[in-house]
Amino acid sequence: MNQRFQSEEIRFVVEQYGNNELYRAICTIGPRLESELTGFGLCPEECFMEALELLSAIADKGDGILPELENVWLRKYNEYNRFDRHVREDVIRKAVGIVFGFTILAIDSSRHPFYRYKLTQQLTMVIANHQFEGWSSTLETIFSVPLADGWFDIFINEEPESPQGMDSLTKNANELQQQMNGKPFIVQFVQNQHNTGCQQFMGNMQNPVFTSTPQKDEAV
């Protein structure tokens, strides 16, 4: 079985992020989703760290992440595929889709229109372009998990001196990287971001409807 995280890495994440709301949210359905990934052991702890990596890139780049989303998907797919060439393509797409799905769940908690509407729409479209069997029901399951409003805003704006602030998160991520014997993992955090252009998506994931909202610059 393809198991990227071993007991040591899992224990580290539990100890360092046990009280993190997103981690707890992932844990509510993470074991079930992992059981559906035949031959690919994406445990809740790795799923959380993978989503955290993508969220930090989003926080760093803001709307500059939009033209990179397709390549972000492909890099993640290729990384998973290189780890075990015997895993079915559909399973790898589902693993990446799950990470993207929890990333959408996190940014949908934001009160800022760019993250909550425009970016969630674009990330969903990337998943749809690389759809896997049952992709819409998988996303609906992920989106049904509750996450407090404003979680992502706290993630990018937490004061560094806070116990769960940016310095603490970065330090913990770097410690995990050392324990994972050099596996690539980078987390960056920013406190200011300016965004333009917002869209809202509504409707069942089988047939989403996209509606535009007035565009204006907004400082976060």
Side-chain angles (χ1 to χ4, degrees), residues 8-202:
E8 185 177 1
E9 289 87 44
I10 292 173
R11 183 172 58 253
F12 180 90
V13 174
V14 172
E15 292 173 352
Q16 297 297 324
Y17 295 99
N19 292 324
N20 184 284
E21 288 185 67
L22 179 60
Y23 172 64
R24 294 203 303 267
I26 291 174
C27 284
T28 61
I29 60 172
R32 169 186 161 187
L33 294 176
E34 181 182 0
S35 71
E36 297 173 359
L37 295 171
T38 306
F40 194 97
L42 183 70
C43 66
E45 288 73 25
E46 181 179 11
C47 184
F48 169 71
M49 297 306 291
E50 293 282 276
L52 192 67
E53 179 184 12
L54 181 50
L55 288 167
S56 67
I58 290 170
D60 183 41
K61 295 178 181 294
D63 56 10
I65 196 70
L66 291 175
E68 300 181 14
L69 292 179
E70 177 65 16
N71 282 335
V72 170
W73 172 281
L74 293 174
R75 283 196 298 269
K76 190 59 60 182
Y77 175 90
N78 291 335
E79 174 190 328
Y80 289 0
N81 189 38
R82 285 194 299 267
F83 193 72
D84 189 341
R85 299 286 187 181
H86 297 95
V87 178
R88 294 196 340 262
E89 178 182 345
D90 191 64
V91 172
I92 297 176
R93 287 201 302 266
K94 184 170 184 175
V96 180
I98 289 171
V99 172
F100 269 54
F102 279 113
T103 300
I104 294 171
L105 177 71
I107 62 176
D108 186 59
S109 72
S110 176
R111 297 183 177 93
H112 302 289
F114 167 74
Y115 295 118
R116 189 161 197 170
Y117 304 126
K118 177 70 172 181
L119 189 54
T120 55
Q121 170 201 326
Q122 295 299 317
L123 284 167
T124 303
M125 291 177 66
V126 172
I127 297 173
N129 289 337
H130 299 275
Q131 58 185 266
F132 47 87
E133 183 179 356
W135 70 277
S136 60
S137 61
T138 296
L139 290 186
E140 288 173 359
T141 298
I142 292 173
F143 298 162
S144 70
V145 176
L147 186 66
D149 284 346
W151 182 90
F152 185 67
D153 303 327
I154 295 173
F155 174 78
I156 61 177
N157 290 310
E158 190 73 59
E159 291 298 325
E161 60 267 26
S162 167
Q164 288 298 320
M166 293 182 296
D167 286 355
S168 176
L169 288 172
T170 305
K171 179 176 181 293
N172 292 343
N174 289 338
E175 289 177 358
L176 179 58
Q177 180 183 13
Q178 293 175 0
Q179 291 195 24
M180 291 176 64
N181 298 320
K183 292 182 181 178
F185 185 83
I186 301 172
V187 174
Q188 297 174 307
F189 301 89
V190 297
Q191 292 193 21
N192 297 297
Q193 192 67 58
H194 298 272
N195 306 307
T196 60
C198 306
Q199 288 186 316
Q200 182 175 6
F201 71 93
M202 300 179 294

